[in-house]
Amino acid sequence: MECPHLSSSVCIAPDSAKFPNGSPSSWCCSVCRSNKSPWVCLTCSSVHCGRYVNGHAKKHYEEAQVPLANHRKPEKQDKAQHTVCMDCSSYSTYCYRCDDFVVNDTKLGLVQKVREHLQNLENSAFTADRHRKRKLLENSSINSKLLKVNGSTTAICATGLRNLGNTCFMNAILQSLSNIEQFCCYFKELPAVELRNGKTAGRRTYHTRSQGDSNVSLVEEFRKTLCALWQGSQTAFSPESLFYVVWKIMPNFRGYQQQDAHEFMRYLLDHLHLELQGGFNGVSRSAILQENSTLSASNKCCINGASTVVTAIFGGILQNEVNCLICGTESRKFDPFLDLSLDIPSQFRNKRSKNQENGPVCSLRDCLRSFTDLEELDETELYMCHKCKKKQKSTKKFWIQKLPKVLCLHLKRFHWTAYLRNKVDTYVEFPLRGLDMKCYLLEPENSGPEHCLYDLAAVVVHHGSGVGSGHYTAYATHEGRWFHFNDSTVALTDEDTVVKAKAYILFYVERQAKAGSDKL
């Protein structure tokens, strides 16, 4: 929005010596000393924490308005006011009086000058920090031990995501997708999109919260987020811009209540798919996909229109067979899918951990078998038989006609009872390598063994008892090492820890090498 308060609020010089030392993204609040979500006042250059931490930036504005409210002369209101501040991480500008993000600037361009100054400070601090770490690793004779023991040293290549207020569901999915190499690389190689409209034409638009839906790009904000996650900075990245675009185009996720990570993933992939089909700002994203030689036409799966990188990587095809038990008529239907939702068999639902001795451990094979086994439909799901001309008892069976490059498996841990939604907290054993999907294929003889084996790339875990509460984290492998992503915190972990996790969503990547002996 065009803010009318900039001239009376933006008073600091871009080279002000009042700024704290260090990188702006890690500056501490002058009140509570928190370095999460720092904002700098553009009137006095003081730094305070954002509203998702302790809200001292807003309190700073409110306290500055108290004496102004006591003045009756209108000319007193023209004096400097502490109404406008800048995010020290994303460099977006916010006006508390307008209660919205700002896209315009002062006549002298002071906002842009401050923004560039903060960017220079951040880059200088990052360069110095990277040089220091490189020297430390080069001069150390125990590099391998540092990578295994010192959490801060091992995570230098990975970046955490700040929690904006119960946004761990989004952070866990973003970190998982960022470790799907082929998917992530596609977006990072896309050309940047600059949103231009009206008076802001020719200038980069930093925020899209107050603009129309036609001027936001989920693909662009998703691209920028993925680029930030593996840039080598240890400072947590704030996915604020992406979250505001999500608010605009996915109304279900507005607000700051806890959401279902699986539901968010499906909405995210669906909207990315739709936007990629149509292109944005005159750039055809589908055209870029056509030129990508690694995604051949034979491997594409179309869901709701033309193929995109979403369907080319996550898209598979199910064959649904329904047989009438009265006349034997068989009906076949082919359904495209981006993920498979698997029930945890009822006989395992009371087994909370791997070490309990009340029967066998539930495995991913048990869940897949339950999904694909022949089952008789109950009275509420009677099949309309075209031969009998009425609804009849029938059986149903799923086959996988085409496996995707990335197999996403969702374990259905939440189910509705008469009054509430409960969580199935059963431990499900899953393999890190060699998940063999051949026995679930419709025509396994037509698929080479290398196309049926999958290795784990990422796991999303829900901690807690209910879908509307708890916390989401993710485990993912990058360049042969496993990381645990817990919002802003990224730590190196090991395979033993990963396999003990109570998985909610599993991302398996098709193995490119020849099949080995390590199978599920």
Side-chain angles (χ1 to χ4, degrees):
M1 53 148 279
E2 299 280 340
C3 174
H5 310 115
L6 295 183
S7 59
S8 61
S9 295
V10 183
C11 305
I12 61 175
D15 58 346
S16 174
K18 295 182 179 180
F19 287 137
N21 295 324
S23 59
S25 59
S26 61
W27 284 347
C28 295
C29 173
S30 60
V31 178
C32 65
R33 307 309 298 169
S34 170
N35 63 352
K36 296 180 179 179
S37 186
W39 290 76
V40 60
C41 175
L42 297 189
T43 301
C44 64
S45 74
S46 59
V47 177
H48 297 89
C49 60
R51 65 181 68 193
Y52 307 128
V53 186
N54 293 315
H56 287 124
K58 187 176 182 181
K59 290 176 184 176
H60 174 70
Y61 154 72
E62 292 171 343
E63 290 170 357
Q65 306 315 301
V66 174
L68 289 177
N70 295 330
H71 290 293
R72 295 184 177 180
K73 296 181 180 180
E75 59 268 16
K76 294 289 184 180
Q77 298 291 335
D78 295 330
K79 288 188 176 182
Q81 301 174 36
H82 304 251
T83 62
V84 181
C85 57
M86 181 177 290
D87 188 330
C88 299
S89 298
S90 64
Y91 314 117
S92 55
T93 310
Y94 192 87
C95 176
Y96 281 111
R97 287 189 68 185
C98 298
D99 195 24
D100 212 335
F101 286 91
V102 177
V103 298
N104 58 318
D105 204 338
T106 65
K107 292 181 179 180
L108 298 177
L110 288 179
V111 173
Q112 181 60 20
K113 288 179 180 179
V114 173
R115 180 178 289 124
E116 291 173 354
H117 184 64
L118 294 186
Q119 287 175 322
N120 290 335
L121 291 176
E122 185 75 28
N123 293 336
S124 299
F126 169 69
T127 303
D129 189 51
R130 184 170 58 179
H131 179 71
R132 180 184 61 80
K133 287 171 184 170
R134 185 184 296 120
K135 243 188 153 176
L136 174 66
L137 292 175
E138 288 174 353
N139 296 334
S140 175
S141 60
I142 54 170
N143 287 347
S144 59
K145 291 184 179 180
L146 285 174
L147 290 174
K148 292 180 181 179
V149 178
N150 190 327
S152 61
T153 302
T154 57
I156 56 174
C157 60
T159 302
L161 285 168
R162 288 182 178 167
N163 193 313
L164 306 177
N166 285 325
T167 57
C168 56
F169 68 92
M170 178 178 74
N171 292 347
I173 293 299
L174 293 176
Q175 293 286 14
S176 298
L177 294 178
S178 77
N179 285 281
I180 309 293
E181 185 176 359
Q182 195 174 19
F183 185 70
C184 181
C185 287
Y186 171 84
F187 284 93
K188 290 199 294 186
E189 292 171 2
L190 286 176
V193 174
E194 291 192 3
L195 309 179
R196 296 182 175 91
N197 68 310
K199 294 181 180 180
T200 61
R203 285 182 284 151
R204 189 169 188 86
T205 303
Y206 282 82
H207 271 277
T208 53
R209 184 185 185 188
S210 60
Q211 298 172 5
D213 289 355
S214 61
N215 291 307
V216 300
S217 171
L218 180 64
V219 170
E220 171 64 1
E221 296 302 339
F222 185 67
R223 181 195 70 81
K224 289 192 291 188
T225 301
L226 293 183
C227 287
L229 289 182
W230 291 100
Q231 64 184 355
S233 172
Q234 282 189 307
T235 304
F237 176 76
S238 176
E240 196 175 54
S241 297
L242 174 63
F243 194 42
Y244 290 141
V245 173
V246 167
W247 277 26
K248 276 192 172 294
I249 65 179
M250 306 180 200
N252 293 17
F253 298 96
R254 290 176 184 169
Y256 298 98
Q257 65 272 23
Q258 183 66 281
Q259 301 279 1
D260 186 347
H262 174 250
E263 185 180 1
F264 172 76
M265 182 196 74
R266 285 307 313 269
Y267 270 89
L268 178 68
L269 292 179
D270 287 345
H271 280 277
L272 287 172
H273 172 63
L274 290 173
E275 189 174 312
L276 286 167
Q277 287 182 78
F280 191 82
N281 203 31
V283 179
S284 176
R285 305 296 196 180
S286 296
I288 299 173
L289 174 62
Q290 299 290 343
E291 297 172 4
N292 192 334
S293 59
T294 62
L295 302 174
S296 63
S298 62
N299 285 326
K300 292 177 184 176
C301 169
C302 297
I303 298 176
N304 298 328
S307 176
T308 67
V309 69
V310 175
T311 52
I313 290 181
F314 289 95
I317 299 176
L318 281 176
Q319 176 176 295
N320 183 1
E321 293 180 355
V322 179
N323 285 275
C324 176
L325 291 177
I326 305 302
C327 68
T329 298
E330 182 181 273
S331 173
R332 294 182 180 180
K333 182 181 178 183
F334 295 97
D335 298 314
F337 68 86
L338 294 179
D339 70 311
L340 297 178
S341 290
L342 311 178
D343 279 308
I344 296 175
S346 57
Q347 65 266 31
F348 297 108
R349 291 190 179 180
N350 292 325
K351 190 171 180 62
R352 303 298 185 193
S353 69
K354 184 176 182 179
N355 298 323
Q356 275 184 280
E357 298 179 358
N358 57 339
V361 175
C362 179
S363 69
L364 194 57
R365 178 188 286 274
D366 294 317
C367 299
L368 285 165
R369 188 185 296 115
S370 175
F371 179 78
T372 55
D373 276 354
L374 184 72
E375 67 169 313
E376 183 174 336
L377 298 176
D378 59 32
E379 295 292 333
T380 62
E381 299 178 294
L382 293 179
Y383 164 64
M384 182 64 189
C385 179
H386 298 293
K387 187 173 182 179
C388 298
K389 304 297 183 184
K390 63 178 181 178
K391 291 184 176 182
Q392 301 282 31
K393 286 188 175 183
S394 57
T395 60
K396 179 181 73 172
K397 179 173 177 58
F398 283 121
W399 292 98
I400 299 177
Q401 189 200 50
K402 174 190 170 295
L403 284 165
K405 289 181 176 295
V406 174
L407 178 65
C408 180
L409 301 176
H410 161 235
L411 299 179
K412 295 163 73 172
R413 291 196 173 275
F414 301 106
H415 65 97
W416 286 101
T417 61
Y419 301 102
L420 47 87
R421 200 177 186 188
N422 286 336
K423 181 182 177 182
V424 179
D425 205 30
T426 302
Y427 170 78
V428 177
E429 194 172 52
F430 56 90
L432 293 181
R433 287 173 288 275
L435 171 62
D436 192 350
M437 295 295 294
K438 191 167 186 175
C439 60
Y440 309 109
L441 281 176
L442 180 63
E443 298 175 343
E445 65 277 3
N446 294 335
S447 298
E450 69 277 4
H451 297 300
C452 301
L453 286 179
Y454 287 81
D455 297 323
L456 190 67
V459 188
V460 173
V461 181
H462 178 268
H463 311 267
S465 58
V467 67
S469 59
H471 182 60
Y472 287 98
T473 65
Y475 294 95
T477 179
H478 184 79
E479 297 180 350
R481 292 182 293 164
W482 280 95
F483 292 89
H484 184 212
F485 298 92
N486 183 4
D487 287 336
S488 299
T489 304
V490 182
L492 192 70
T493 188
D494 53 43
E495 293 185 352
D496 290 339
T497 302
V498 176
V499 296
K500 292 177 183 176
K502 292 181 180 179
Y504 181 47
I505 306 172
L506 297 147
F507 296 87
Y508 281 94
V509 177
E510 181 184 50
R511 183 182 289 183
Q512 298 301 316
K514 289 192 175 182
S517 59
D518 186 13
K519 296 181 180 180
L520 174 63

